[in-house]
């Protein structure tokens, strides 16, 4: 904005009558001094403010003078900063920064989504990695600078909404501004001469406009009317809805909880903290927030594309569960699918992963069963080649009766390609299951007190079993087959009937309902704000010098829209029917100033060069 | 699932696969035919531009120089309507005026330049576009039937649907008697590029969806996303032409002499103010729907992945696109940012949309990437 414009704003004082601190911001008024307040306040957008050099003014000598001056200065600057922060321009810049700031998070791995990728990235980029780390680029959306942008934006938003709301309330209490002196200057204009008396025409116009739900009143020789206030309502509702969404989002972050539980077919889960495999929660979460419920995984079912280029892509995943709510609620059945979580109050139980859990039996040197369990294995690829560990921690004795622990490194292929093919599964379904086991004995290290992954074997204190050729004992087992450990150390059997497991994620997202309500509020507000035209219509009827009534009508919209002239045409047509025209007399004096014309009222979309 | 069940299932899908493959072939044939007809339409548009007369060319210059000399122009005059003293009284006519500071430039006559023969070719071009649209629509439909779901599972399907919807939007605007005929050549050219890319680089054999994509929110989310993209695209074409026309008018207004080619092309387009208004309306009209699209996506993500918003690259870029368009709308309401600056923001916003659509699928891996390139 040029300096000249700034002075315009400051000298143009025709629209202060609504008592708004922010003024009008509508460029319309600035350039059309003679329109008075006609174009004022068609929107409640804040006015661009001009920055003075100092707020303190003259300083009286002495300490009190200095204090008073400093006070004025500080308050002045504080107000100025506040105005800047709540100006459209700063809001625009902050919006810019928000979208720019969101970009790096989509290109650089984020620890919130994928911790391993971040570690990988840091390992590969030793120079830039630490710099990224410092800048918070591995967790952009929770970094200080990103938070700063959106917090400033929302302060700006609140600082914008509050005055705009008061301003709008003021507009609702007031009346549409009176007709400008020269209606011809307005973007849409029409006129005719009629025999009907001016009062009569104004009465009719008032009635007509009111019937069309304009807020209209008679003011001097003209009717002033305005319509489309819902636009402003929608706009305010939209911006408020944004705040509701943000607050709901923040609330959800503070109180959320999210836990994972892997369950093998036939096993169950009760919603207490100790039962989870892993658990994350917001900083204000309390364990009492966990809803009491429990469920049992009856059956998991997955189907896959059998042929074609996408062979092996999953088609359906579903988990049949029996669940009950509360301490002793009735048992209910539900099928949980990928897009269909189980809903229990604020909690949702999602199906997030699945895999196989081969059932194995381990016998000791005497032939006694020391271990029999379905062992969940973790998938490595899309064809569910899986890996894991079998740990026999106690109860085992070798042939000589020595107490020991056993460990097996397991690979599982649901669809083995046959001898000579690579040790990867060919298909995700159980077409030709094979369990590959490598056996160890010794100390599993589970008593050391350090947490250990159930899927990995800690081999530090373990010795390999050797086969007859002196190599490590490793065999492919089909269902029903048994691998013997050397020297009568026992055996391990891959039982028929491979079980499946499913991973469930239990999330609590309080505030989600509010976020959703805010979101839909935002859409409706936005629609109202963008589709409804706020516009003014004036009808002036005066007796001309020849005694014939001259009717003039003009329309002004916030934005230059084709609808305004159209609507004016319809209104004029109606009024014309009630106050029909009379022919002009040839010597009729021009009621118009000659060209060149002063500029008309610019509306939105008009660029001043 | 047991082995026996798996083989049963395989037999059943084999049977279905045969009919599906047939439909998929029908779809491919239709898409290729549509491309052929679009090509014909393209040549007809070219003929319209070439044969169109240039007699009306120079109106912008005339209007602008007249402006400078302070003379009255051909722009709407403010006079008392219904004057004339004749016995037949007309109803009052509404006169409109351009805003202060805006140039009073009449809209161009369109590609045909007011020439009868050019106009004829233009009409042929539009008829061919309608035909090509119908064929492409058939192609998309056959594809949908062949995969027994909505045709938005991968980028090939996304592309053919996208271009079809973009042309549909254009034809709908034409049918609503909006002044959009000038857009024909620009649109059909890019549609041909889009389809060419689809059938060569992005082609994916017809197939069903992975479980995460089975949801009615998919239909809502992706269909509105495609529609929004198509409308944003139409808006972006308007914006680009606005920028050209605006600098052309600027040049004339400051006494410059644009080249003959620029003159011939730009003279026929609507005035820069009209183009600007057109792209604003288009973008503003679809912005609430884009907001809804993102929300629908969040609801779907909530059901599929257990979180509504996880800053997945696709989500992030939808958000960036949304904020960028919000910037554009704000810029238009902020003094000092209207006009060209706002137009650049609009283009940047559309670039974000494009990146979300191509860039994220190709360069960035995220949860959405399983949709397949
Ligand atoms: C969170 C970020 C924001 C978004 C997404 C947003 C979005 C929007 C949208 C889409 C419009 C409609 C534009 C139109 O009427 O053409 C709008 C209008 C408006 N916004 Fe925002 N806004 C945001 C923040 C702000 C802030 C912080 C302010 C305060 C300075 C603000 C002030 C306004 C005003 C005054 C209008 C009305 C413009 C007019 O009626 O001329 N907005 N906003």
């Amino acid at each position: 904005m040029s300096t000249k414009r700034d002075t315009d704003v400051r000298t143009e004082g025709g629209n202060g009558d609504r008592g708004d601190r922010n003024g009008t911001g509508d460029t319309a008024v600035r350039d059309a001094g003679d329109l008075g307040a006609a174009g004022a306040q068609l929107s409640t957008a804040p006015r661009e403010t001009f920055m003075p050099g100092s707020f303190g003014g003259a300083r009286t000598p002495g300490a009190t003078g200095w204090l008073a001056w400093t006070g004025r200065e500080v308050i002045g600057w504080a107000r100025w900063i506040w105005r800047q922060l709540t100006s459209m321009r700063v809001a625009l810049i902050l919006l810019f920064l928000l979208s720019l700031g969101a970009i790096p998070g989509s290109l650089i791995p984020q620890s919130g989504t994928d911790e391993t990728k971040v570690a990988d990235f840091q390992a590969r980029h030793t120079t830039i990695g630490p710099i990224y780390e410092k800048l918070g680029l591995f967790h952009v959306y929770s970094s200080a600078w990103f938070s700063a942008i959106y917090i400033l934006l929302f302060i700006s938003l609140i600082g914008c909404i509050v005055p705009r709301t008061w301003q709008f309330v003021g507009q609702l209490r007031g009346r549409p501004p009176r007709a400008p002196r020269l209606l011809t200057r307005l973007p849409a204009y029409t006129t005719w001469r009629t025999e009907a008396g001016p009062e009569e025409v104004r009465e009719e116009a008032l009635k007509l406009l009111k019937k069309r739900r304009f807020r209209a009143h008679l003011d001097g020789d003209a009717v002033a009317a305005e319509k489309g206030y819902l636009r402003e309502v929608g706009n305010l509702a939209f911006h408020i809805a944004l705040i509701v969404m943000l607050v709901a989002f923040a609330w959800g972050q503070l109180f959320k909880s999210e836990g994972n539980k892997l369950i093998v077919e036939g096993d169950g889960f009760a919603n207490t903290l100790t039962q989870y495999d892993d658990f994350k929660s917001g900083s204000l979460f309390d364990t009492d927030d966990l809803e009491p419920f429990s469920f049992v995984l009856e059956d998991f079912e997955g189907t896959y594309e059998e042929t074609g280029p996408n062979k092996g892509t999953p088609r359906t995943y579903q988990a049949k569960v029996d669940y009950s709510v509360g301490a002793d609620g009735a048992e209910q059945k539900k099928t949980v699918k990928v897009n269909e979580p189980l809903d229990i109050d604020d909690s949702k139980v999602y199906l997030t992963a699945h895999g196989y859990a081969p059932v194995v039996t381990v016998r000791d040197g005497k032939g006694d069963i020391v271990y029999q369990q379905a062992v969940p294995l973790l998938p490595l690829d899309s064809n569910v080649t899986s890996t894991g560990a079998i740990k026999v921690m106690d109860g085992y004795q070798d042939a000589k009766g020595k107490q020991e622990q056993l460990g097996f490194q397991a690979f599982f292929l649901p669809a083995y390609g046959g001898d000579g093919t690579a040790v990867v599964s060919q298909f995700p379904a159980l077409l030709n299951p094979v369990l590959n086991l490598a056996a160890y004995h010794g100390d599993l290290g589970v008593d050391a007190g350090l947490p250990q992954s159930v899927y990995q074997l800690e081999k530090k204190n373990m010795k390999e079993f050797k086969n007859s050729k002196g190599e490590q004992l490793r065999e492919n087992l089909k269902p029903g087959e048994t691998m013997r450990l050397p020297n009568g150390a026992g055996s391990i059997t891959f039982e028929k009937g491979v079980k499946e497991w499913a991973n469930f994620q239990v999330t609590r997202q309080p505030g989600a309902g509010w976020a959703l309500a805010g979101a839909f509020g935002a859409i409706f507000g936005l629609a109202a704000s963008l589709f409804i035209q706020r516009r003014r219509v004036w009808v002036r009827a005066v007796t001309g010098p020849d005694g014939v009534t001259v009717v003039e009508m003009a329309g002004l919209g916030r934005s230059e829209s084709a609808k305004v002239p159209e609507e004016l045409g319809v209104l004029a047509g109606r009024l014309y029917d009630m106050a029909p025209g009379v022919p002009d007399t040839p010597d009729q004096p021009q009621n118009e100033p000659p060209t060149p014309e002063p500029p008309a009222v610019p509306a939105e979309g008009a660029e001043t060069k | 699932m047991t082995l026996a069940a798996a083989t049963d299932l395989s037999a059943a899908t084999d049977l279905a696969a045969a009919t599906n493959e047939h439909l998929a072939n029908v779809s491919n044939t239709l898409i290729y035919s549509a491309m052929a007809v679009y090509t014909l339409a393209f040549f007809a548009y070219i003929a319209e531009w070439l044969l169109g007369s240039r007699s009306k060319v120079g109106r912008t210059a005339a209007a602008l120089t007249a402006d400078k000399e302070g003379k009255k122009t051909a722009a709407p005059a403010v006079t008392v309507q219904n004057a004339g003293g004749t016995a037949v009284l007309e109803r009052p006519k509404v006169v409109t005026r351009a805003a202060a500071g805006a140039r009073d430039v009449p809209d161009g006559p369109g590609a045909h330049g007011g020439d009868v023969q050019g106009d004829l070719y233009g009409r042929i071009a539009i008829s061919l576009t309608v035909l090509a649209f119908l064929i492409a629509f058939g192609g998309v439909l056959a594809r949908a039937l062949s995969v027994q779901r909505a045709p938005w599972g991968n980028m090939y399907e996304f592309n053919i649907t996208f271009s079809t919807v973009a042309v549909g939007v254009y034809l709908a605007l034409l049918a609503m008697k909006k002044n959009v005929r000038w857009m024909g050549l620009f649109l059909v050219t890019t549609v041909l590029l889009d389809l060419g890319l689809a059938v060569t680089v992005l082609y994916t054999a017809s197939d069903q969806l992975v479980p995460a994509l089975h949801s009615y929110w998919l239909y809502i989310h992706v269909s509105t996303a495609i529609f929004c993209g198509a409308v944003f695209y139409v808006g972006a074409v308007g914006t680009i032409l606005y920028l050209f026309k605006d600098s052309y008018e600027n040049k004339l207004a400051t006494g410059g002499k644009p080249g003959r080619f620029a003159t011939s092309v730009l003279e026929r387009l609507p005035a820069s103010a009209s183009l600007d208004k057109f792209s604003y309306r288009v973008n503003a009209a679809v912005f609430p729907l884009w907001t809804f699209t993102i929300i629908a996506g969040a609801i779907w993500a909530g059901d599929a992945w257990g979180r509504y918003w996880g800053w997945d690259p696709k989500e992030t870029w939808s958000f960036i696109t949304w904020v960028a368009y919000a910037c554009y709308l704000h810029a238009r309401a902020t003094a000092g940012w209207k006009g060209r600056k706002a137009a650049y923001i609009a283009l940047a916003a559309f670039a974000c949309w494009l990146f979300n659509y191509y860039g994220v699928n190709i360069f960035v891996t995220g949860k959405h990437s399983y949709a397949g390139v």
Side-chain angles (χ1 to χ4, degrees), chain A residues 86 95 156-157 160 164 231 235 238-239 558, chain B residues 280 330:
Chain A
T86 56
L95 279 171
S156 158
L157 190 51
C160 179
R164 284 180 63 202
R231 177 198 179 96
N235 192 277
F238 166 72
H239 288 86
R558 195 188 73 95
Chain B
Y280 168 70
H330 274 103

Side-chain angles (χ1 to χ4, degrees), chain A residues 430-572:
Chain A
L430 288 173
L431 298 183
N432 179 23
V434 159
L435 183 64
N436 176 287
L437 293 172
Y440 299 83
H441 62 110
D443 179 8
L444 287 167
V446 282
D447 308 322
L450 290 171
Q452 203 186 68
S453 164
V454 291
Y455 304 104
Q456 269 167 3
L457 213 52
E458 172 61 63
K459 292 184 204 137
K460 209 166 63 192
N461 297 315
M462 303 289 282
K463 281 203 292 272
E464 293 172 356
F465 279 110
K466 305 282 184 199
N467 63 13
S468 51
K469 289 181 211 140
E471 294 161 352
Q472 149 137 58
L473 179 67
R474 172 187 284 279
E475 274 180 34
N476 280 346
L477 301 182
K478 291 198 167 136
E481 289 182 348
T482 299
M483 175 168 86
R484 304 223 155 267
L485 301 177
N487 310 323
S491 68
I492 181 164
T493 309
F494 174 23
E495 303 292 348
K496 287 185 178 160
V498 176
K499 287 193 177 179
E500 294 190 57
W501 57 260
N503 191 71
F504 293 94
Q505 179 184 318
V506 182
T507 54
R508 253 186 98 245
Q509 286 183 311
W514 278 100
L516 194 65
F520 279 94
I523 294 175
F524 285 112
L526 202 51
S529 156
L530 291 172
F531 298 147
I532 295 173
Q533 261 288 332
R534 192 157 164 209
R535 66 270 191 200
R536 292 177 180 155
V537 168
W538 292 275
V539 185
R540 172 171 284 141
V542 288
T543 314
D546 56 350
V548 179
T549 308
V550 177
V551 185
E552 284 185 288
M553 290 180 76
L556 173 66
R558 195 188 73 95
S559 56
E560 206 182 321
S561 158
K563 291 260 167 58
V564 171
E566 252 167 52
E567 186 180 45
L568 192 73
V570 172
L571 289 169

Side-chain angles (χ1 to χ4, degrees), chain A residues 42-46 85-92 94-95 98 152-161 164 231-232 235 238-239 242 526 529-530 558 604, chain B residues 280 284 287 322-323 325-326 329-330 332-334:
Chain A
L42 258 175
S43 116
T44 54
L85 192 59
T86 56
S87 75
M88 280 293 274
R89 178 174 308 224
V90 172
L92 186 59
L94 288 172
L95 279 171
L98 187 69
L152 276 179
L153 185 61
F154 275 86
I155 293 174
S156 158
L157 190 51
I158 293 167
C160 179
I161 289 174
R164 284 180 63 202
R231 177 198 179 96
E232 217 69 40
N235 192 277
F238 166 72
H239 288 86
L242 290 181
L526 202 51
S529 156
L530 291 172
R558 195 188 73 95
E604 200 238 21
Chain B
Y280 168 70
F287 185 72
W322 184 74
V323 175
Y325 274 106
L329 293 180
H330 274 103
R332 302 226 9 147
T334 309

Side-chain angles (χ1 to χ4, degrees), chain A residues 225-525:
Chain A
E226 182 165 0
K227 193 176 170 178
Y229 291 85
L230 262 182
R231 177 198 179 96
E232 217 69 40
V233 175
N235 192 277
L236 290 171
F238 166 72
H239 288 86
I240 291 168
L242 290 181
I243 294 181
V244 170
M245 274 164 77
L246 185 87
V247 170
F249 212 70
W251 181 270
Q253 290 295 314
L254 290 175
F255 287 96
K256 75 168 179 197
S257 70
E258 182 185 308
N260 277 291
K261 177 68 181 174
L262 184 151
I263 304 174
V264 177
E265 283 169 332
D267 289 351
F269 166 80
N271 193 24
T272 56
L273 205 53
T274 49
Q275 289 240 347
Y276 283 103
D277 298 334
D278 63 68
F279 191 81
K280 282 190 293 198
S281 61
S283 44
L284 297 181
F285 168 83
D286 187 275
T287 40
D288 292 344
D289 292 342
L290 287 177
E291 273 106 2
F293 65 86
S294 60
F295 64 89
V296 172
L297 173 62
E298 290 295 325
D299 182 36
F300 178 86
E301 203 181 299
T303 61
Y304 306 90
E305 186 65 36
E306 306 273 329
T307 51
N310 287 343
K311 183 176 167 195
T313 27
R315 289 291 160 244
T316 54
Y317 284 144
Q318 52 185 35
K320 295 203 172 79
V321 299
D322 289 348
Y323 71 99
S324 56
V325 182
D328 40 25
E331 198 158 279
Q332 287 160 281
K333 288 196 183 302
K334 160 97 186 174
T335 303
V336 182
K337 296 184 187 166
V338 172
N339 280 317
E340 294 168 30
L342 169 62
D343 261 299
I344 299 169
D345 296 328
D346 260 355
S347 297
K348 285 188 173 182
V349 181
Y350 296 91
L351 174 65
T352 53
H354 80 105
Y356 292 101
V359 182
V360 296
T361 307
V362 179
R363 291 184 170 80
D364 65 9
K366 286 184 287 183
D368 291 340
I369 293 177
V370 292
Y371 181 97
Q372 185 165 44
Q373 217 168 298
V375 186
L377 302 177
L378 292 184
L380 294 174
D381 60 24
S382 56
N383 282 333
V384 209
T385 303
S386 312
T387 179
I390 299 164
K391 301 181 185 182
V392 182
M393 299 187 205
D394 37 39
Y396 170 80
Q397 302 177 336
D398 69 5
K400 298 181 194 108
K402 190 178 125 209
Q403 293 260 346
E404 234 185 346
Q405 290 181 323
L406 291 184
F408 299 89
Q409 180 80 53
F411 274 97
F412 177 74
L413 315 178
Y416 181 45
D419 291 336
T421 59
V423 191
V424 286
S425 174
Q426 307 295 316
F427 195 75
L430 288 173
L431 298 183
N432 179 23
V434 159
L435 183 64
N436 176 287
L437 293 172
Y440 299 83
H441 62 110
D443 179 8
L444 287 167
V446 282
D447 308 322
L450 290 171
Q452 203 186 68
S453 164
V454 291
Y455 304 104
Q456 269 167 3
L457 213 52
E458 172 61 63
K459 292 184 204 137
K460 209 166 63 192
N461 297 315
M462 303 289 282
K463 281 203 292 272
E464 293 172 356
F465 279 110
K466 305 282 184 199
N467 63 13
S468 51
K469 289 181 211 140
E471 294 161 352
Q472 149 137 58
L473 179 67
R474 172 187 284 279
E475 274 180 34
N476 280 346
L477 301 182
K478 291 198 167 136
E481 289 182 348
T482 299
M483 175 168 86
R484 304 223 155 267
L485 301 177
N487 310 323
S491 68
I492 181 164
T493 309
F494 174 23
E495 303 292 348
K496 287 185 178 160
V498 176
K499 287 193 177 179
E500 294 190 57
W501 57 260
N503 191 71
F504 293 94
Q505 179 184 318
V506 182
T507 54
R508 253 186 98 245
Q509 286 183 311
W514 278 100
L516 194 65
F520 279 94
I523 294 175
F524 285 112

